[in-house]
Amino acid sequence: MKGKERILYSEEAIKERVGEMGKAIDAYYNGKEVLVIGLLRGSFVFCSDLVRAMESKMEIDFMTTSSYEDEFSSSGDVKLFSDLRADVKGRDVLIVDDIIDTGHTLETVVKSIRALEPASVKTAVMLDKPSRREVDFSADFTGFTIDDVFIVGYGLNYGPYYRNKPYIYTYED
Ligand code: 5GP
Ligand code: MG
């Protein structure tokens, strides 16, 4: 991508918001044990910050998802690579992803987790692009709601790069 970086959320702003989300999620579970499932690769940064902002007793596991046919357009054809070690049956599951865009990824993951008979399934995302939604799905806990812009950093990639940037940004010409 060409142009100048435009920071949408600084490292400080992200930290503050993730702290609030951790408290809200703890309050929701109210002492219950949580099975956190982070979706790789995009959520690895958010998930590691979120779980450290939470005090609930938890087990942490991961699934790999992939939906992009090319770099910018998501497709309804979501691929799940599940290597879950945790036993899901009867557990209170919190699925964590970086961003909800068309909604296909989270809808597909929630469906596959429900088939394993958890006690409950909730979802947490750092970012939400509601204007892009193609399915009737919304996350239970959301960090920031954004317009339809392609963003990078804080786990989100452009090609194979920039997931390590500690802030969330876009490019402007
Ligand atoms: P959905 O299935 O909701 O359309 O897409 C979710 C996935 O698309 C996210 O986990 C993320 O990998 C990718 N995605 C959606 N919007 C963006 C974006 O603005 N930037 C980047 N880097 N990835 C995005
Ligand atoms: Mg992703």
Side-chain angles (χ1 to χ4, degrees):
M1 270 185 294
K2 292 196 197 92
K4 216 164 108 280
E5 281 185 16
R6 183 166 68 87
I7 295 182
L8 294 184
Y9 300 103
S10 67
E11 205 171 343
E12 295 71 32
I14 293 169
K15 190 170 195 309
E16 189 180 337
R17 185 68 189 117
V18 173
E20 291 169 357
M21 291 179 79
K23 286 200 176 71
I25 293 169
D26 278 341
Y28 173 77
Y29 286 107
N30 191 27
K32 276 199 279 187
E33 182 178 320
V34 189
L35 169 58
V36 175
I37 300 178
L39 305 185
L40 298 172
R41 299 179 170 73
S43 83
F44 84 104
V45 176
F46 172 50
C47 192
S48 78
D49 283 347
L50 184 66
V51 294
R52 287 178 295 169
M54 290 169 61
E55 289 176 359
S56 302
K57 183 176 181 189
M58 65 176 73
E59 182 176 348
I60 303 169
D61 208 334
F62 298 95
M63 288 172 83
T64 298
T65 60
S66 150
S67 71
Y68 269 27
E69 286 175 328
D70 58 54
E71 279 152 331
F72 295 104
S73 60
S74 191
S75 74
D77 177 26
V78 178
K79 291 176 188 65
L80 293 188
F81 305 92
S82 176
D83 178 34
L84 280 179
R85 316 232 165 130
D87 199 1
V88 170
K89 192 168 180 170
R91 309 284 293 279
D92 290 297
V93 176
L94 178 69
I95 296 165
V96 178
D97 206 1
D98 49 1
I99 184 167
I100 179 167
D101 185 35
T102 64
H104 289 297
T105 301
L106 275 179
E107 187 185 54
T108 304
V109 171
V110 165
K111 212 175 274 174
S112 85
I113 293 296
R114 278 202 205 287
L116 303 173
E117 299 176 30
S120 68
V121 186
K122 294 285 167 188
T123 53
V125 295
M126 188 64 215
L127 296 147
D128 184 3
K129 279 191 213 171
S131 63
R132 297 253 311 161
R133 206 75 90 247
E134 291 175 6
V135 293
D136 182 19
F137 193 95
S138 54
D140 299 291
F141 302 95
T142 299
F144 300 115
T145 299
I146 59 170
D147 293 334
D148 180 13
V149 285
F150 188 80
I151 51 141
V152 191
Y154 200 64
L156 289 141
N157 59 312
Y158 172 54
Y161 299 120
Y162 314 123
R163 294 189 192 273
N164 60 306
K165 296 273 190 175
Y167 45 87
I168 293 168
Y169 65 104
T170 184
Y171 284 91
E172 64 186 13
D173 294 328

